[in-house]
């Protein structure tokens, strides 16, 4: 419980720092939300009147304190550009980004475990070399380019889906998940390649440990030793990488949403930045930070569950 309380305290402090940096960043970035809303032809008096109405003329600490207080109460503010509650604007976008993140993460797990085990089981043979070459190629291609290839190949050539013909989860859950398969796979492939390489190397190291030689001396088959003995210790360094991979998945989803025309939080974030819609941007940044920090905390706790020797 002391460790959990310590991690939660650190999470809260980190969130405050993230929110503060996000709030301060838009004070430094050139651009005036009031000017953006009214247009370049608006008079200075109208701009100042709108700034006063939006509360932009108040001191920065006062505005930040009010924003944090309202956020803790569940009020994320009102969009400058659309004049709608931010929670309503991004409420429909959150499930889309979460779904794509979960599907991409599942793809990483489905690819990493069997490929790594096969590669170690047949080390230095044809199948191992094939996976190593394929991994190197996949790691060198950025997710957005894989997304473009998928769009051209499966959308324009084979017509497996219609690019841009997004189906909302409120209309059809199956069609919604089906449309997210290729975007999620585009995000997952480079990360899966990195995870496979890390897991393979970790397993190979474990297979040369004394406890593995002892398992072999007791008559266990190579497959049983690999899965029942080396797997648990070999997966430990991969868990940390998977926790970090979640952050990369969310970051890459911002770009992939543009490629496939998915109306998730990524498109909303980019659109809001261009419109100087700061309340929307700040809310999305904080929500993403919450997800990443919580996942990192869960990753640390899993270490203790998998290896009792680790002191936390």
């Amino acid at each position: 419980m002391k460790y959990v309380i310590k991690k939660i305290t650190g999470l809260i402090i980190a969130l405050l720092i993230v929110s503060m940096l996000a709030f301060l960043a838009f004070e430094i970035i050139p651009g005036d939300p009031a000017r953006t809303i009214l247009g370049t032809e608006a008079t200075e008096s109208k701009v100042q009147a709108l700034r006063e109405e939006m509360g932009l003329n108040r001191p920065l600490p006062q505005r930040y304190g009010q924003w944090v207080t309202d956020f803790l109460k569940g009020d994320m503010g009102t969009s400058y550009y659309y004049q709608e509650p931010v929670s309503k604007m991004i409420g429909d976008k959150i499930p889309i980004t979460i779904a794509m993140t979960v599907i991409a993460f599942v793809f990483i797990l489905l690819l990493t475990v069997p490929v790594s085990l096969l590669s170690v089981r047949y080390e230095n043979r044809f199948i191992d070399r094939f996976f190593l070459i394929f991994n190197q190629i996949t790691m060198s291609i950025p997710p957005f380019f894989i997304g473009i290839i998928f769009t051209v190949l499966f959308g324009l050539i084979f017509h497996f889906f219609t690019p841009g013909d997004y189906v909302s989860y409120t209309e059809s859950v199956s069609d919604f998940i089906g449309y997210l398969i290729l975007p999620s796979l585009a995000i997952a492939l480079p990360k899966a390649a990195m995870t496979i390489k890390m897991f393979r190397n970790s397993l190979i190291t474990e297979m040369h440990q004394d406890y593995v030689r002892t398992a072999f001396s007791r008559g266990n088959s190579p497959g049983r030793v690999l899965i029942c003995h080396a797997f648990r210790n070999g997966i430990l360094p991969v868990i940390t990488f998977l926790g970090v991979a979640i952050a990369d998945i969310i970051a890459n989803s911002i770009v992939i949403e543009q490629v496939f025309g998915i109306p998730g939080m990524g498109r909303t974030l980019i659109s809001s930045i261009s419109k100087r819609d700061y309340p929307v941007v700040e809310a999305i940044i904080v929500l993403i930070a919450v997800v990443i920090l919580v996942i990192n905390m869960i990753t640390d706790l899993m270490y203790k569950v998998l290896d009792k020797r680790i002191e936390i």
Side-chain angles (χ1 to χ4, degrees), residues 258-275:
Q258 310 301 312
V259 176
F260 286 88
I262 300 172
M265 284 204 301
R267 291 187 67 182
T268 304
L269 177 62
I270 293 176
S271 173
S272 299
I273 291 174
S274 64
K275 294 181 173 68

Side-chain angles (χ1 to χ4, degrees), residues 145-277:
F145 190 71
I146 296 177
I148 293 173
I149 294 174
F150 284 170
T151 301
V152 174
L153 187 63
F154 297 108
L156 302 180
I157 297 177
F158 294 112
H159 302 289
F160 288 165
F161 76 104
T162 303
D165 191 17
Y166 167 79
V167 180
S168 174
Y169 59 91
T170 58
E171 298 176 12
S172 174
V173 175
S174 58
D175 291 342
F176 166 72
I177 295 176
Y179 192 85
L180 294 183
I181 293 296
L182 289 177
S184 301
L185 186 59
I187 297 173
L189 281 177
K191 281 299 167 188
M194 296 178 189
T195 312
I196 289 169
K197 185 175 182 179
M198 177 179 291
F199 194 23
R200 173 189 177 275
N201 293 339
S202 178
L203 285 173
I204 290 174
T205 301
E206 293 299 323
M207 290 297 286
H208 291 88
Q209 299 298 322
D210 291 338
Y211 73 91
V212 171
R213 285 193 285 270
T214 302
F216 276 122
S217 67
R218 294 177 178 175
N220 291 292
S221 65
R224 180 176 177 81
V225 171
L226 179 62
I227 296 174
C228 298
H229 296 271
F231 184 91
R232 183 168 182 173
N233 291 329
I235 196 76
L236 287 175
V238 180
I239 291 176
T240 300
F241 183 77
L242 288 175
V244 176
I246 295 290
D248 288 339
I249 290 173
I250 296 174
N252 286 319
S253 68
I254 295 174
V255 181
I256 290 295
E257 287 175 7
Q258 310 301 312
V259 176
F260 286 88
I262 300 172
M265 284 204 301
R267 291 187 67 182
T268 304
L269 177 62
I270 293 176
S271 173
S272 299
I273 291 174
S274 64
K275 294 181 173 68
R276 300 293 190 273
D277 202 347

